[in-house]
């Protein structure tokens, strides 16, 4: 009796049970292909709006690993590049099908990560009181906040100041911010700002020109952190005149009399 067995094109042995004249015979056929594994590291959470990024995985066989998205409504995969399309959970599977001569198919490996919504960033700029012509070191306060519905910021956040012609930017400073000695370059930081939170405020110092007109509008510009476009805010300051006047009340008295004349010094604004 002749029996023919197809080649075992896997890495796992298989057994065939044959009945001959009422007797059971087990025939074991060893696997002809070598097993392989895939190394596909965990993926870091991302914020929607970041550029497409590459995936990386290796097979112990040295053969090329392929990737596929299991959640196309959240993320898509083209070749090795991932593009985020919506907030949610992105699931990606790495596969290596093996070849027909040496390597068996590898067990697929799946990794998932969270895609956060875009941050809901805002910037506000305030000051106290009026400024005076010729004043040095007049102060503004800038605060960057993230709305409760926004995702965390991603990457560097930059704040710059845009004074009008009657104001000269002197300095910018704030806890945790890296502010350039060239104040026009602004301040940056890269720590993620969670939803519903604010960064420590930035203090902006300006000098007011002696001939500054009133009012003066000073802008604050916020960029980065996952924003698709910069956000601009403005604060309007009343500029008071620095002109002073001296006035005295009139009085009269006879020769040799002592008297007091009230004098008032008034500073406009």
């Amino acid at each position: 009796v002749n029996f023919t067995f197809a080649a075992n094109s896997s890495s796992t042995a298989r057994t065939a049970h044959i009945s001959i004249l009422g007797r059971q015979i087990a025939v074991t056929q060893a696997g002809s292909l070598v097993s392989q594994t895939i190394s596909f590291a965990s993926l870091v959470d991302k914020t929607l709006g970041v550029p497409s990024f590459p995936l990386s995985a290796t097979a112990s066989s040295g053969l090329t690993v392929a990737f596929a998205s299991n959640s196309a409504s959240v993320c898509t995969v083209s070749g090795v590049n991932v593009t985020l399309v919506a907030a949610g959970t992105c699931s990606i599977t790495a596969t290596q099908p093996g070849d027909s001569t040496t390597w068996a198919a590898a067990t697929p490996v799946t990794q998932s990560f969270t895609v956060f919504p875009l941050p809901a960033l805002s910037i506000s700029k305030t000051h106290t009181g009026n400024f005076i012509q010729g004043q040095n070191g007049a102060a503004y306060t800038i605060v960057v906040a993230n709305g409760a519905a926004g995702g965390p910021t991603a990457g560097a956040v930059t704040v710059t100041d845009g004074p009008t012609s009657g104001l000269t930017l002197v300095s910018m400073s704030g806890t945790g911010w890296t502010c350039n000695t060239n104040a026009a370059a602004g301040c940056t930081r890269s720590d993620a700002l969670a939803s519903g939170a604010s960064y420590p405020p930035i203090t902006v110092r300006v000098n007011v020109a002696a001939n500054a007109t009133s009012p003066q509008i000073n802008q604050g510009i916020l960029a980065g952190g996952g924003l698709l476009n910069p956000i601009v805010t403005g604060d309007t300051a009343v500029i008071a005149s620095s002109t002073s006047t001296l006035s005295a009340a009139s009085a009269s008295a006879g020769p040799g009399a002592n008297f007091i004349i009230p004098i008032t010094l008034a500073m406009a604004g």
Side-chain angles (χ1 to χ4, degrees):
V1 179
N2 296 319
F3 296 92
T4 301
F5 297 92
N8 182 3
S9 57
S10 73
S11 61
T12 305
R14 62 185 181 183
T15 300
H17 296 276
I18 305 170
S19 178
I20 302 177
L21 300 176
R23 299 185 61 184
Q24 292 289 325
I25 299 175
V27 179
T28 300
Q29 184 184 32
S32 61
L33 299 179
V34 180
S35 62
Q36 61 169 325
T37 58
I38 294 174
S39 297
F40 183 23
S42 58
L43 300 171
V44 178
D45 294 341
K46 302 284 187 181
T47 297
L48 190 64
V50 301
S52 297
F53 58 93
L55 297 166
S56 178
T58 58
S60 57
S61 63
L63 298 175
T64 301
V65 174
F67 301 97
S69 172
N70 307 312
S71 45
S73 63
V74 175
C75 60
T76 60
V77 175
S78 176
V80 299
N81 293 312
V82 180
T83 300
L84 306 181
V85 295
T89 299
C90 175
S91 172
I92 297 173
T93 296
T95 59
Q96 209 315 299
D99 56 26
S100 60
T101 58
T102 305
W103 298 99
T107 300
V109 178
T110 299
Q111 297 289 3
S112 299
F113 63 95
T114 299
V115 180
F116 294 106
L118 288 170
L121 292 177
S122 64
I123 178 172
S124 63
K125 187 169 192 177
T126 58
H127 74 281
T128 301
N130 296 335
F131 295 163
I132 300 173
Q133 290 176 332
Q135 180 180 352
N136 290 330
Y140 289 95
T141 299
I142 292 178
V143 175
V144 175
N146 193 2
T153 56
V157 173
T158 301
V159 174
T160 52
D161 188 75
T164 48
S165 59
L167 304 174
T168 300
L169 178 61
V170 176
S171 66
M172 297 178 68
S173 61
T175 302
W177 292 91
T178 299
C179 299
N180 201 295
T181 52
N182 173 16
C187 301
T188 62
R189 64 189 304 150
S190 297
D191 52 320
L193 181 62
S195 59
S198 300
Y199 284 131
I202 296 173
T203 299
V204 178
R205 297 284 180 179
V206 298
N207 290 342
V208 184
N211 61 347
T213 57
S214 182
Q216 291 285 319
I217 300 175
N218 195 354
Q219 292 183 331
I221 303 99
L222 171 65
L227 285 174
L228 299 180
N229 297 293
I231 300 175
V232 180
T233 188
D235 180 69
T236 301
V238 173
I239 309 299
S241 171
S242 61
T243 303
S244 61
T245 60
L246 184 65
S247 61
S250 61
S252 61
N258 295 323
F259 58 91
I260 296 174
I261 302 176
I263 296 176
T264 302
L265 177 65
M267 179 73 73

